[in-house]
Amino acid sequence: MVHIRALHALAFDDGGTVSQLVDALRAARAPIEPMSFVGALGGRIVGHTMLTAGRLDAPRRIVDVYVLSPLGVLPSFQQQGIGTKLVSHALAAAAQKRIPLVFLEGSPRYYGRRGFEKATQFDFRAPSLRIPEPAFQVARLSSYESWMTGTLVYSDPFWALDCVGLRDRAPQ
Ligand SMILES: CC(C)(COP(=O)(O)OP(=O)(O)OC[C@H]1O[C@@H](n2cnc3c(N)ncnc32)[C@H](O)[C@@H]1OP(=O)(O)O)[C@@H](O)C(=O)NCCC(=O)NCCS
């Protein structure tokens, strides 16, 4: 775990909030088990991502879904396809567990070529108005059905650590 914490601190350069998020997500009680994926090179962990439980408040019932977050690759190992492989493994694992949907917040330029689509076009609503619409993305997996629409509800660690959407910058 120390490696993974340090990895995200370096990848995100954010003072450690993402590292805390990883710990909190692993410790949280959840309706579906979290899954972790690591990329290793020469025996060293150089990339990491997680799938953790979210809930989709669909008209018919609550649907258990995954949220992919965070995704980090050590700066000196970026641009080598490690992030791409981690995303692809995570989606395959979610599909194998018959989880219908994986959501995330991120760059459409990056994730749009890695299995994700703009979520609002399928009648999904983001958990916060502070998430820019193009950043709210979804991967629809083999057990997805078209009645599965509605609002994504994040697990508590995302709120407790204020890791949702974008905040206004304080005036200079
Ligand atoms: C984003 C990140 C995970 C990508 O990992 P990676 O192993 O370097 O990615 P890959 O080698 O698989 O893919 C490289 C591609 O990602 C693009 N890319 C890298 N960072 C990007 C970003 N922040 N936004 C959009 N595209 C990005 C590169 O331009 C490159 O594009 P190409 O496929 O057109 O050449 C890595 O850069 C990272 O850890 N960044 C810091 C943490 C972060 O921002 N995580 C994502 C949060 S949503």
Side-chain angles (χ1 to χ4, degrees):
M1 269 312 287
V2 175
H3 291 311
I4 289 173
R5 246 183 250 132
L7 182 156
H8 287 297
L10 287 168
F12 284 87
D13 193 18
D14 68 339
T17 306
V18 171
S19 304
Q20 288 177 49
L21 178 68
V22 170
D23 286 346
L25 287 169
R26 286 167 68 100
R29 283 187 56 187
I32 44 176
E33 281 292 297
M35 300 179 87
S36 256
F37 304 85
V38 294
L41 276 181
R44 181 173 176 201
I45 294 177
V46 298
H48 174 254
T49 194
M50 280 181 94
L51 293 175
T52 58
R55 290 184 168 95
L56 180 73
D57 181 17
R60 219 177 266 183
R61 62 174 168 81
I62 302 280
V63 179
D64 287 324
V65 299
Y66 269 135
V67 173
L68 188 151
S69 175
L71 169 67
V73 174
L74 282 178
S76 50
F77 292 89
Q78 292 176 4
Q79 305 288 336
Q80 298 177 36
I82 293 163
T84 301
K85 279 202 183 125
L86 287 169
V87 171
S88 152
H89 281 299
L91 292 184
Q96 202 173 9
K97 279 187 85 164
R98 310 288 300 157
I99 299 298
L101 297 158
V102 177
F103 290 90
L104 58 74
E105 288 176 43
S107 157
R109 196 159 54 82
Y110 187 76
Y111 292 103
R113 290 202 272 146
R114 290 164 178 88
F116 285 82
E117 300 169 283
K118 186 174 166 181
T120 50
Q121 69 183 307
F122 305 110
D123 289 334
F124 298 119
R125 281 203 187 181
S128 167
L129 292 174
R130 294 179 295 95
I131 301 173
E133 192 175 326
F136 177 49
Q137 293 168 79
V138 66
R140 295 173 302 145
L141 304 178
S142 47
S143 26
Y144 161 76
E145 294 174 29
S146 58
W147 61 266
M148 295 173 181
T149 61
T151 304
L152 173 66
V153 181
Y154 272 148
S155 62
D156 189 59
F158 287 101
W159 301 107
L161 289 158
D162 199 12
C163 289
V164 180
L166 303 175
R167 291 247 166 244
D168 288 346
R169 285 176 191 210
Q172 295 296 309

